[in-house]
Amino acid sequence: MNSVVGSSVFALNWRNVSYPSSGYSKSGKKIVNLRPACCSTAPQNLKPADEFSPSKFQGSSLNLFTEESAETDVLIECKDVYKSFGEKHILRGVNFKLKHGEAVGIIGPSGTGKSTILKIIAGLLTPDKGEVYIRGRRRHGLISDDDMSGLRIGLVFQSAALFDSLTVRENVGFLLYEHSRMPKDKIKELVAETLAAVGLKEVEDRMPSELSGGMKKRVALARSIIYDTTNDTIEPEVLLYDEPTAGLDPIASTVVEDLIRSVHCKGEDALGKPGKIASYVVVTHQHSTIRRAVDRLVFLHDGKVVWEGMTHEFTSSTNPIVQQFASGNLDGPIRY
Ligand SMILES: Nc1ncnc2c1ncn2[C@@H]1O[C@H](COP(=O)(O)OP(=O)(O)OP(=O)(O)O)[C@@H](O)[C@H]1O
């Protein structure tokens, strides 16, 4: 996956993407976040799965997100989305929905546009054609402060994208220092608490260069889940993870996969508190991440969604594209 984001672009967009300036509509009306009773607390300390099997959280997902689910459960919808870069036609009519409470993986061959669709959802890229709806409201152009619909969307970059010249504390608390009225000592406390929630202690004064790759990813996760606790309108809602386990060893991957689960509303963080992320999308290549961190999969190939299913259906799918991808076979419809 390409990580096209530099620090300055990241800072600008991350502010807008992760921390909408309000939870209010243009007219100033307060938008009440949907809180269906699906966010039950799930058991922690998942054991590594040996095969693609439904996660312990999945039962509730299956029951809740059937076709009969109310349309009000839909947080994000991509409708016939097209995107080209010059002569390269990457997305050619992508359709899918993300519902409240869902943990969805976007998978597919390299270069098929997984990162691109994530950036379009986050508002960092505009589609050439087609629409993206956020809670039923069409997103026009790039995301901006007055284009918010009460849904906070955070993007966790593949590279972690920490500011090299800032300490871990300054990185994690960046937006609160810059854009909230919280007192500095309160932010310091909250940063320590949020780092502890992702299993990091006493690293606040370190520079990013002093951290391992896995620790950087955890710091990036902490930065995306921290929020102004004095303002109850900007709770985190949806997190988009771009290859969160790329480049990590298998054990470090497991740690990050479990963290992704733990900050979800169906999980518990390292401090035993329920997570705050209503739904999330993970773009990944890694089988361990597919089976451990998500419940449902969306398979992109040749610019379109060619298969959708629950994680446990992945290896038994009769779709030849999915079969080839799952087995890593050189023979099949996917050509390199
Ligand atoms: N800003 C851009 N300008 C030009 N081409 C781009 C840009 N962003 C992405 N691309 C191209 O679009 C294609 C899809 O890229 P994208 O990163 O979305 O794929 P991906 O499915 O995430 O790939 P991978 O699995 O290898 O990470 C690639 O060929 C890439 O080079």
Side-chain angles (χ1 to χ4, degrees):
M1 167 140 340
N2 296 319
S3 182
V4 295
V5 184
S7 287
S8 57
V9 177
F10 173 71
L12 173 69
N13 286 300
W14 187 56
R15 173 171 63 80
N16 292 329
V17 172
S18 293
Y19 284 79
S21 56
S22 75
Y24 296 83
S25 69
K26 280 179 186 173
S27 61
K29 189 166 169 271
K30 185 173 179 183
I31 293 165
V32 181
N33 292 341
L34 296 174
R35 289 275 178 229
C38 66
C39 295
S40 57
T41 302
Q44 280 300 287
N45 305 321
L46 295 173
K47 302 263 181 329
D50 293 321
E51 56 190 30
F52 289 87
S53 60
S55 83
K56 293 186 181 184
F57 305 130
Q58 195 175 292
S60 57
S61 304
L62 275 170
N63 294 336
L64 280 157
F65 302 115
T66 58
E67 282 303 311
E68 295 85 49
S69 291
E71 279 300 299
T72 49
D73 276 353
V74 177
L75 296 184
I76 295 173
E77 178 174 9
C78 292
K79 230 175 182 176
D80 214 20
V81 170
Y82 283 74
K83 183 74 186 175
S84 298
F85 297 106
E87 294 301 304
K88 285 194 276 187
H89 305 297
I90 305 301
L91 304 179
R92 306 168 190 219
V94 170
N95 291 288
F96 72 89
K97 292 177 184 174
L98 174 72
K99 293 181 179 177
H100 190 105
E102 280 200 296
V104 171
I106 298 182
I107 57 171
S110 277
T112 201
K114 302 180 295 294
S115 243
T116 302
I117 194 70
L118 216 58
K119 286 175 193 150
I120 287 174
I121 293 172
L124 301 179
L125 286 175
T126 45
D128 298 335
K129 199 178 131 200
E131 294 114 43
V132 175
Y133 292 90
I134 310 290
R135 277 217 177 113
R137 275 186 55 188
R138 186 172 171 192
R139 166 169 287 167
H140 294 281
L142 291 176
I143 201 161
S144 65
D145 280 350
D146 58 1
D147 187 30
M148 284 300 160
S149 31
L151 184 68
R152 188 187 135 191
I153 301 175
L155 180 58
V156 183
F157 294 94
Q158 179 185 8
S159 62
L162 301 178
F163 299 113
D164 290 339
S165 57
L166 302 183
T167 63
V168 166
R169 179 182 296 108
E170 289 161 343
N171 263 287
V172 174
F174 184 79
L175 291 183
L176 301 184
Y177 287 118
E178 295 287 318
H179 298 289
S180 81
R181 294 203 181 113
M182 287 180 81
K184 287 210 167 101
D185 56 338
K186 188 78 198 149
I187 297 177
K188 191 175 171 186
E189 219 174 86
L190 193 58
V191 167
E193 210 176 281
T194 310
L195 283 167
V198 299
L200 288 176
K201 278 189 184 142
E202 292 165 19
V203 296
E204 289 93 323
D205 294 318
R206 291 203 207 169
M207 301 304 285
S209 57
E210 297 174 285
L211 305 175
S212 70
M215 288 166 92
K216 281 184 194 166
K217 283 183 195 281
R218 288 205 241 176
V219 171
L221 183 57
R223 183 174 59 179
S224 61
I225 60 173
I226 199 168
Y227 67 98
D228 183 351
T229 49
T230 62
N231 182 350
D232 61 6
T233 62
I234 53 170
E235 283 194 18
E237 293 275 11
V238 176
L239 271 190
L240 310 173
Y241 298 94
D242 195 348
E243 297 216 21
T245 50
L248 297 182
D249 70 51
I251 298 164
S253 291
T254 304
V255 170
V256 170
E257 287 149 10
D258 284 357
L259 279 173
I260 290 171
R261 282 284 190 200
S262 74
V263 298
H264 190 212
C265 61
K266 296 174 188 172
E268 271 177 12
D269 67 22
L271 302 173
K273 292 186 185 163
K276 294 206 164 57
I277 305 302
S279 310
Y280 59 84
V281 179
V282 181
V283 163
T284 185
H285 277 302
Q286 285 194 214
H287 280 207
S288 70
T289 308
I290 292 170
R291 68 178 176 242
R292 200 169 174 91
V294 298
D295 297 329
R296 190 164 75 79
L297 294 168
V298 171
F299 196 111
L300 270 190
H301 178 52
D302 269 352
K304 286 190 174 180
V305 174
V306 292
W307 182 83
E308 284 187 73
M310 303 310 287
T311 305
H312 67 282
E313 295 167 335
F314 180 58
T315 45
S316 55
S317 168
T318 54
N319 182 318
I321 298 170
V322 177
Q323 278 183 344
Q324 186 189 355
F325 191 80
S327 66
N329 204 325
L330 291 178
D331 296 322
I334 303 171
R335 296 272 164 222
Y336 279 89

